[in-house]
mmCIF file of all heavy atoms in Angstrom:
data_model
loop_
_atom_site.group_PDB
_atom_site.id
_atom_site.type_symbol
_atom_site.label_atom_id
_atom_site.label_comp_id
_atom_site.label_asym_id
_atom_site.label_seq_id
_atom_site.Cartn_x
_atom_site.Cartn_y
_atom_site.Cartn_z
ATOM 1 N N ARG A 169 1.846 -8.406 27.283
ATOM 2 C CA ARG A 169 2.215 -9.818 27.363
ATOM 3 C C ARG A 169 2.094 -10.514 26.026
ATOM 4 O O ARG A 169 2.061 -11.729 25.945
ATOM 5 C CB ARG A 169 1.320 -10.510 28.387
ATOM 6 C CG ARG A 169 1.591 -10.017 29.764
ATOM 7 C CD ARG A 169 0.590 -10.551 30.744
ATOM 8 N NE ARG A 169 1.114 -10.358 32.072
ATOM 9 C CZ ARG A 169 1.881 -11.249 32.675
ATOM 10 N NH1 ARG A 169 2.158 -12.379 32.095
ATOM 11 N NH2 ARG A 169 2.356 -10.999 33.859
ATOM 12 N N VAL A 171 -0.339 -10.886 24.017
ATOM 13 C CA VAL A 171 -1.539 -11.659 23.717
ATOM 14 C C VAL A 171 -2.259 -10.946 22.590
ATOM 15 O O VAL A 171 -2.461 -9.739 22.663
ATOM 16 C CB VAL A 171 -2.476 -11.736 24.924
ATOM 17 C CG1 VAL A 171 -3.697 -12.561 24.598
ATOM 18 C CG2 VAL A 171 -1.754 -12.317 26.093
ATOM 19 N N THR A 174 -6.748 -14.303 18.352
ATOM 20 C CA THR A 174 -7.889 -15.046 18.851
ATOM 21 C C THR A 174 -8.136 -14.830 20.338
ATOM 22 O O THR A 174 -9.261 -14.608 20.769
ATOM 23 C CB THR A 174 -7.611 -16.536 18.655
ATOM 24 O OG1 THR A 174 -6.943 -16.705 17.427
ATOM 25 C CG2 THR A 174 -8.868 -17.307 18.666
ATOM 26 N N TYR A 175 -7.057 -14.908 21.119
ATOM 27 C CA TYR A 175 -7.210 -14.825 22.564
ATOM 28 C C TYR A 175 -7.766 -13.479 22.963
ATOM 29 O O TYR A 175 -8.632 -13.376 23.823
ATOM 30 C CB TYR A 175 -5.863 -15.083 23.243
ATOM 31 C CG TYR A 175 -5.474 -16.508 23.149
ATOM 32 C CD1 TYR A 175 -4.918 -17.008 21.991
ATOM 33 C CD2 TYR A 175 -5.729 -17.375 24.198
ATOM 34 C CE1 TYR A 175 -4.602 -18.335 21.878
ATOM 35 C CE2 TYR A 175 -5.417 -18.709 24.101
ATOM 36 C CZ TYR A 175 -4.852 -19.183 22.932
ATOM 37 O OH TYR A 175 -4.560 -20.510 22.827
ATOM 38 N N GLN A 181 -14.666 -10.558 24.327
ATOM 39 C CA GLN A 181 -16.023 -11.085 24.293
ATOM 40 C C GLN A 181 -16.512 -11.417 25.709
ATOM 41 O O GLN A 181 -17.650 -11.104 26.073
ATOM 42 C CB GLN A 181 -16.008 -12.337 23.443
ATOM 43 C CG GLN A 181 -17.350 -12.777 23.005
ATOM 44 C CD GLN A 181 -17.233 -13.968 22.095
ATOM 45 O OE1 GLN A 181 -16.443 -14.866 22.323
ATOM 46 N NE2 GLN A 181 -18.032 -13.972 21.061
ATOM 47 N N GLN A 194 -27.758 -5.772 38.212
ATOM 48 C CA GLN A 194 -27.807 -4.675 39.185
ATOM 49 C C GLN A 194 -28.902 -3.682 38.809
ATOM 50 O O GLN A 194 -28.633 -2.511 38.555
ATOM 51 C CB GLN A 194 -26.453 -3.964 39.248
ATOM 52 C CG GLN A 194 -25.337 -4.852 39.716
ATOM 53 C CD GLN A 194 -25.564 -5.371 41.113
ATOM 54 O OE1 GLN A 194 -25.806 -4.621 42.035
ATOM 55 N NE2 GLN A 194 -25.524 -6.693 41.276
ATOM 56 N N ILE A 304 -22.587 -9.463 23.534
ATOM 57 C CA ILE A 304 -21.782 -10.127 22.511
ATOM 58 C C ILE A 304 -22.397 -9.976 21.132
ATOM 59 O O ILE A 304 -21.711 -9.669 20.162
ATOM 60 C CB ILE A 304 -21.657 -11.609 22.864
ATOM 61 C CG1 ILE A 304 -20.888 -11.735 24.164
ATOM 62 C CG2 ILE A 304 -20.981 -12.382 21.778
ATOM 63 C CD1 ILE A 304 -21.111 -13.029 24.852
ATOM 64 N N GLN A 345 -38.048 -13.417 8.935
ATOM 65 C CA GLN A 345 -37.331 -14.681 8.847
ATOM 66 C C GLN A 345 -36.107 -14.564 7.968
ATOM 67 O O GLN A 345 -35.065 -15.133 8.243
ATOM 68 C CB GLN A 345 -38.239 -15.751 8.250
ATOM 69 C CG GLN A 345 -39.432 -16.036 9.103
ATOM 70 C CD GLN A 345 -39.762 -17.495 9.054
ATOM 71 O OE1 GLN A 345 -39.648 -18.122 8.018
ATOM 72 N NE2 GLN A 345 -40.168 -18.040 10.175
ATOM 73 N N PHE A 349 -31.180 -15.074 7.996
ATOM 74 C CA PHE A 349 -30.500 -15.775 6.912
ATOM 75 C C PHE A 349 -29.629 -14.807 6.133
ATOM 76 O O PHE A 349 -28.486 -15.101 5.798
ATOM 77 C CB PHE A 349 -31.517 -16.420 5.965
ATOM 78 C CG PHE A 349 -32.068 -17.718 6.472
ATOM 79 C CD1 PHE A 349 -33.431 -17.924 6.547
ATOM 80 C CD2 PHE A 349 -31.215 -18.740 6.850
ATOM 81 C CE1 PHE A 349 -33.946 -19.124 7.010
ATOM 82 C CE2 PHE A 349 -31.721 -19.944 7.311
ATOM 83 C CZ PHE A 349 -33.092 -20.136 7.392
ATOM 84 N N GLY A 352 -26.605 -13.753 8.160
ATOM 85 C CA GLY A 352 -25.660 -14.858 8.219
ATOM 86 C C GLY A 352 -24.922 -15.014 6.903
ATOM 87 O O GLY A 352 -23.699 -15.160 6.872
ATOM 88 N N PHE A 355 -22.256 -12.378 6.502
ATOM 89 C CA PHE A 355 -21.023 -12.696 7.231
ATOM 90 C C PHE A 355 -20.154 -13.627 6.381
ATOM 91 O O PHE A 355 -18.954 -13.408 6.207
ATOM 92 C CB PHE A 355 -21.357 -13.418 8.543
ATOM 93 C CG PHE A 355 -21.598 -12.522 9.716
ATOM 94 C CD1 PHE A 355 -22.860 -12.043 9.998
ATOM 95 C CD2 PHE A 355 -20.559 -12.180 10.554
ATOM 96 C CE1 PHE A 355 -23.092 -11.238 11.091
ATOM 97 C CE2 PHE A 355 -20.780 -11.374 11.651
ATOM 98 C CZ PHE A 355 -22.051 -10.896 11.923
ATOM 99 N N PHE B 46 -11.093 -25.780 18.249
ATOM 100 C CA PHE B 46 -10.359 -24.535 18.488
ATOM 101 C C PHE B 46 -8.958 -24.824 18.993
ATOM 102 O O PHE B 46 -7.967 -24.308 18.472
ATOM 103 C CB PHE B 46 -11.125 -23.661 19.487
ATOM 104 C CG PHE B 46 -10.377 -22.446 19.930
ATOM 105 C CD1 PHE B 46 -10.018 -21.477 19.021
ATOM 106 C CD2 PHE B 46 -10.024 -22.283 21.252
ATOM 107 C CE1 PHE B 46 -9.317 -20.359 19.419
ATOM 108 C CE2 PHE B 46 -9.326 -21.162 21.665
ATOM 109 C CZ PHE B 46 -8.967 -20.204 20.748
ATOM 110 N N ILE B 52 -11.921 -20.835 15.102
ATOM 111 C CA ILE B 52 -12.799 -20.242 16.106
ATOM 112 C C ILE B 52 -14.227 -20.536 15.692
ATOM 113 O O ILE B 52 -14.801 -19.832 14.862
ATOM 114 C CB ILE B 52 -12.603 -18.722 16.203
ATOM 115 C CG1 ILE B 52 -11.122 -18.408 16.243
ATOM 116 C CG2 ILE B 52 -13.288 -18.178 17.427
ATOM 117 C CD1 ILE B 52 -10.832 -16.955 16.191
ATOM 118 N N MET B 54 -17.736 -20.242 16.192
ATOM 119 C CA MET B 54 -18.787 -19.583 16.963
ATOM 120 C C MET B 54 -20.111 -20.309 16.825
ATOM 121 O O MET B 54 -21.071 -19.992 17.513
ATOM 122 C CB MET B 54 -18.962 -18.131 16.515
ATOM 123 C CG MET B 54 -17.750 -17.270 16.724
ATOM 124 S SD MET B 54 -17.280 -17.147 18.447
ATOM 125 C CE MET B 54 -18.450 -15.959 19.021
ATOM 126 N N LEU B 121 -15.856 -14.777 12.055
ATOM 127 C CA LEU B 121 -16.970 -14.088 11.389
ATOM 128 C C LEU B 121 -17.825 -15.072 10.613
ATOM 129 O O LEU B 121 -19.060 -15.048 10.703
ATOM 130 C CB LEU B 121 -16.426 -13.034 10.427
ATOM 131 C CG LEU B 121 -15.890 -11.762 11.055
ATOM 132 C CD1 LEU B 121 -15.439 -10.825 9.960
ATOM 133 C CD2 LEU B 121 -16.966 -11.106 11.899
ATOM 134 N N TRP B 124 -19.866 -17.289 12.799
ATOM 135 C CA TRP B 124 -20.938 -16.523 13.439
ATOM 136 C C TRP B 124 -22.110 -16.392 12.470
ATOM 137 O O TRP B 124 -23.272 -16.551 12.841
ATOM 138 C CB TRP B 124 -20.434 -15.151 13.879
ATOM 139 C CG TRP B 124 -21.483 -14.349 14.568
ATOM 140 C CD1 TRP B 124 -22.257 -13.372 14.022
ATOM 141 C CD2 TRP B 124 -21.908 -14.459 15.936
ATOM 142 N NE1 TRP B 124 -23.119 -12.868 14.957
ATOM 143 C CE2 TRP B 124 -22.916 -13.517 16.137
ATOM 144 C CE3 TRP B 124 -21.508 -15.275 17.001
ATOM 145 C CZ2 TRP B 124 -23.557 -13.357 17.360
ATOM 146 C CZ3 TRP B 124 -22.139 -15.118 18.223
ATOM 147 C CH2 TRP B 124 -23.148 -14.169 18.384
ATOM 148 N N VAL B 249 -19.758 -18.288 25.104
ATOM 149 C CA VAL B 249 -18.675 -17.595 25.810
ATOM 150 C C VAL B 249 -18.075 -18.488 26.879
ATOM 151 O O VAL B 249 -16.851 -18.632 26.995
ATOM 152 C CB VAL B 249 -19.198 -16.295 26.438
ATOM 153 C CG1 VAL B 249 -18.128 -15.689 27.321
ATOM 154 C CG2 VAL B 249 -19.581 -15.318 25.376
ATOM 155 N N ALA B 260 -5.216 -23.797 25.374
ATOM 156 C CA ALA B 260 -6.020 -24.263 24.256
ATOM 157 C C ALA B 260 -5.687 -25.675 23.785
ATOM 158 O O ALA B 260 -6.571 -26.432 23.446
ATOM 159 C CB ALA B 260 -5.879 -23.284 23.101
ATOM 160 N N MET B 288 -24.548 -12.462 39.931
ATOM 161 C CA MET B 288 -23.309 -11.958 40.528
ATOM 162 C C MET B 288 -22.267 -13.064 40.610
ATOM 163 O O MET B 288 -21.073 -12.822 40.410
ATOM 164 C CB MET B 288 -23.582 -11.394 41.935
ATOM 165 C CG MET B 288 -24.114 -9.980 41.952
ATOM 166 S SD MET B 288 -23.283 -8.880 40.784
ATOM 167 C CE MET B 288 -21.776 -8.541 41.670
ATOM 168 N N MET B 302 -5.376 -12.667 32.129
ATOM 169 C CA MET B 302 -4.505 -11.528 31.845
ATOM 170 C C MET B 302 -3.122 -11.750 32.460
ATOM 171 O O MET B 302 -2.114 -11.308 31.919
ATOM 172 C CB MET B 302 -5.127 -10.255 32.392
ATOM 173 C CG MET B 302 -6.262 -9.765 31.519
ATOM 174 S SD MET B 302 -6.934 -8.239 32.125
ATOM 175 C CE MET B 302 -8.034 -7.837 30.775
ATOM 176 N N LEU B 303 -3.107 -12.418 33.618
ATOM 177 C CA LEU B 303 -1.811 -12.703 34.237
ATOM 178 C C LEU B 303 -1.109 -13.857 33.544
ATOM 179 O O LEU B 303 0.104 -13.926 33.483
ATOM 180 C CB LEU B 303 -2.004 -13.055 35.717
ATOM 181 C CG LEU B 303 -2.585 -11.943 36.579
ATOM 182 C CD1 LEU B 303 -2.852 -12.452 37.981
ATOM 183 C CD2 LEU B 303 -1.623 -10.766 36.616
ATOM 184 N N PRO B 305 -1.691 -15.571 30.141
ATOM 185 C CA PRO B 305 -2.479 -15.612 28.900
ATOM 186 C C PRO B 305 -2.512 -16.976 28.231
ATOM 187 O O PRO B 305 -3.438 -17.246 27.478
ATOM 188 C CB PRO B 305 -1.774 -14.611 27.988
ATOM 189 C CG PRO B 305 -0.792 -13.904 28.827
ATOM 190 C CD PRO B 305 -0.549 -14.672 30.060
#
Side-chain angles (χ1 to χ4, degrees):
Chain A
R169 293 172 164 271
V171 181
T174 322
Y175 288 80
Q181 196 176 41
Q194 297 299 307
I304 296 159
Q345 297 217 322
F349 280 128
F355 271 89
Chain B
F46 173 62
I52 314 174
M54 298 299 281
L121 285 182
W124 181 261
V249 172
M288 278 318 282
M302 284 183 172
L303 297 175

